[in-house]
């Protein structure tokens, strides 16, 4: 990948596989003439620890080992997300790097977790259920290697939730969702401050409310709203759109509009930042 690299005296545009320069490329990003962000974080150089990145570049050259490979895979994946029409290509590149890391250094919970993320990203982008199932297998492998890997627990549950949306039979989907809920409740017992865990549990109860044939619908919607509000308190902005959707399902127009306006305001700030 081409990006700006430090030549020890000046910045030059050159091809590099060093994750330090990839990170800097992503952190700086690019903007249009009117200030709208095109890709990346869009930080000014004054907001970036450039000297620390230069030091990291030297470390990565001296020790091009597992950590550098994992960092590079992460940056490739973020590049795919940031640049239009690159997600599928870069997700595959990141997967190849991670698979090679596993072959070179042996498996670990971290490698399997990262592979799960990339397969999920690719599956969601392409609508490929088989890739989502592969992602779930990777998360489950991570949990076999580290049963307390909270992020793998959450992402496994989120992947199962995503797969359940493809199930046409409401009774089958309800059984699946009930089993996933048990896993998320266990996660939240281990870490009650895990915002994404509360978020997934809230989404799950909204889906159950739609699938259960009218039984306890209001109770399930109320549960989902409580959980999404907790998620929003822990990760501000995470649940805005889904809370608007939840209140729309309950018929609470005022609450729905309030959360929808929050979501629109947040989206507008992101577009303008």
């Amino acid at each position: 990948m081409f990006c700006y690299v430090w030549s020890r005296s000046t910045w030059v545009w050159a091809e590099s596989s060093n994750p330090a320069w990839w990170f800097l490329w992503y952190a700086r990003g690019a903007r249009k003439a009117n200030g709208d962000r095109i890709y990346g974080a869009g930080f000014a150089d004054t907001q970036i620890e450039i000297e620390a990145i230069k030091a990291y570049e030297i470390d990565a050259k001296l020790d091009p080992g597992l950590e550098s490979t994992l960092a590079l895979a992460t940056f490739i994946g973020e590049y795919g997300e940031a640049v239009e029409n690159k997600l599928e290509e870069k997700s595959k590149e990141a997967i190849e790097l991670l698979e090679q890391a596993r072959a070179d250094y042996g498996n670990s919970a971290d490698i399997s977790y990262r592979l799960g993320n990339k397969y999920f990203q690719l599956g969601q982008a392409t609508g490929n259920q088989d890739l989502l199932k592969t992602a779930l297998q990777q998360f489950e492998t991570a949990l076999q290697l580290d049963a307390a890997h909270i992020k793998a627990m959450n992402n496994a549950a989120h992947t199962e939730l995503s797969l359940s949306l493809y199930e046409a039979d409401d009774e089958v989907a309800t059984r699946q969702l009930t089993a996933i809920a048990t896993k998320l409740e266990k996660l939240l017992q281990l870490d009650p401050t895990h915002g994404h865990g509360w978020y997934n549990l809230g989404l799950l109860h909204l889906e159950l409310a739609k699938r259960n044939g009218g039984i306890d619908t209001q109770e399930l919607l109320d549960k989902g709203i409580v959980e999404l509000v907790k998620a929003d308190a822990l990760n501000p902005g995470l649940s805005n759109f889904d809370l608007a959707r939840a209140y729309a399902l309950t018929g609470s127009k005022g609450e729905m509009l309030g959360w929808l306006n929050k979501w629109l305001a947040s989206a507008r700030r992101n577009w303008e930042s």
Side-chain angles (χ1 to χ4, degrees):
M1 169 183 159
F2 278 84
C3 56
Y4 280 104
V5 302
W6 182 246
S7 69
R8 303 294 178 265
S9 60
T10 187
W11 293 103
V12 296
W13 184 254
E15 189 169 13
S16 175
S17 61
N18 193 297
W21 304 139
W22 285 53
F23 174 77
L24 182 60
W25 171 88
Y26 180 80
R28 281 173 165 164
R31 293 180 181 273
K32 297 178 182 177
N34 64 1
D36 288 348
R37 191 172 66 229
I38 301 171
Y39 65 82
F43 294 137
D45 281 3
T46 54
Q47 297 173 287
I48 304 170
E49 293 287 347
I50 291 181
E51 293 307 314
I53 293 173
K54 290 178 182 178
Y56 174 43
E57 181 264 346
I58 294 170
D59 288 343
K61 276 187 175 179
L62 293 174
D63 182 21
L66 176 59
E67 290 305 316
S68 293
T69 301
L70 295 181
L72 183 57
T74 296
F75 298 141
I76 289 174
E78 290 179 350
Y79 171 64
E81 289 182 278
V83 179
E84 188 176 1
N85 300 323
K86 286 289 185 179
L87 192 147
E88 186 172 351
E89 174 192 342
K90 295 304 175 183
S91 293
K92 289 178 179 177
E93 285 185 24
I95 287 169
E96 287 178 9
L97 263 178
L98 291 166
E99 292 285 12
Q100 188 59 52
R102 179 151 61 186
D104 291 342
Y105 301 101
N107 202 9
S108 70
D110 191 33
I111 291 175
S112 293
Y113 166 72
R114 290 168 186 255
L115 274 166
N117 288 339
K118 298 310 172 192
Y119 276 113
F120 180 84
Q121 183 182 56
L122 188 56
Q124 284 287 82
T126 59
N128 188 320
Q129 292 183 60
D130 288 335
L131 289 172
L132 293 178
K133 290 174 183 176
T134 300
L136 180 57
Q137 291 169 358
Q138 296 295 337
F139 292 133
E140 288 173 342
T141 299
L143 289 168
Q144 289 170 6
L145 295 167
D146 179 3
H149 198 304
I150 296 291
K151 290 182 178 180
M153 283 186 202
N154 179 71
N155 290 12
H158 184 72
T159 305
E160 288 185 274
L161 178 57
S162 299
L163 284 166
S164 75
L165 301 180
Y166 290 96
E167 178 54 59
D169 188 315
D170 286 344
E171 289 187 10
V172 173
T174 296
R175 288 196 296 271
Q176 292 173 345
L177 290 165
T178 301
I180 300 166
T182 301
K183 296 176 183 179
L184 286 168
E185 287 162 358
K186 177 184 176 183
L187 180 158
L188 291 166
Q189 286 176 354
L190 294 170
D191 182 5
T193 64
H194 199 284
H196 284 84
W198 287 111
Y199 176 71
N200 283 321
L201 193 57
L203 293 183
L204 184 148
H205 281 124
L206 296 191
E207 186 63 20
L208 268 177
K210 290 160 50 181
R211 294 275 199 167
N212 73 342
I215 302 169
D216 299 326
T217 298
Q218 188 61 50
E219 181 182 345
L220 290 166
L221 288 173
D222 289 343
K223 274 187 177 181
I225 287 170
V226 168
E227 289 149 358
L228 290 170
V229 168
K230 285 184 179 178
D232 186 73
L234 292 163
N235 296 81
L238 176 63
S239 309
N240 287 349
F241 178 79
D242 294 289
L243 278 163
R245 184 165 64 94
Y247 278 113
L249 291 171
T250 67
S252 302
K253 183 178 178 181
E255 294 283 0
M256 181 270 289
L257 289 174
W259 285 102
L260 187 60
N261 284 330
K262 286 184 181 181
W263 175 71
L264 289 171
S266 174
R268 193 174 299 115
R269 282 196 300 273
N270 288 338
W271 295 333
E272 292 172 354
S273 64

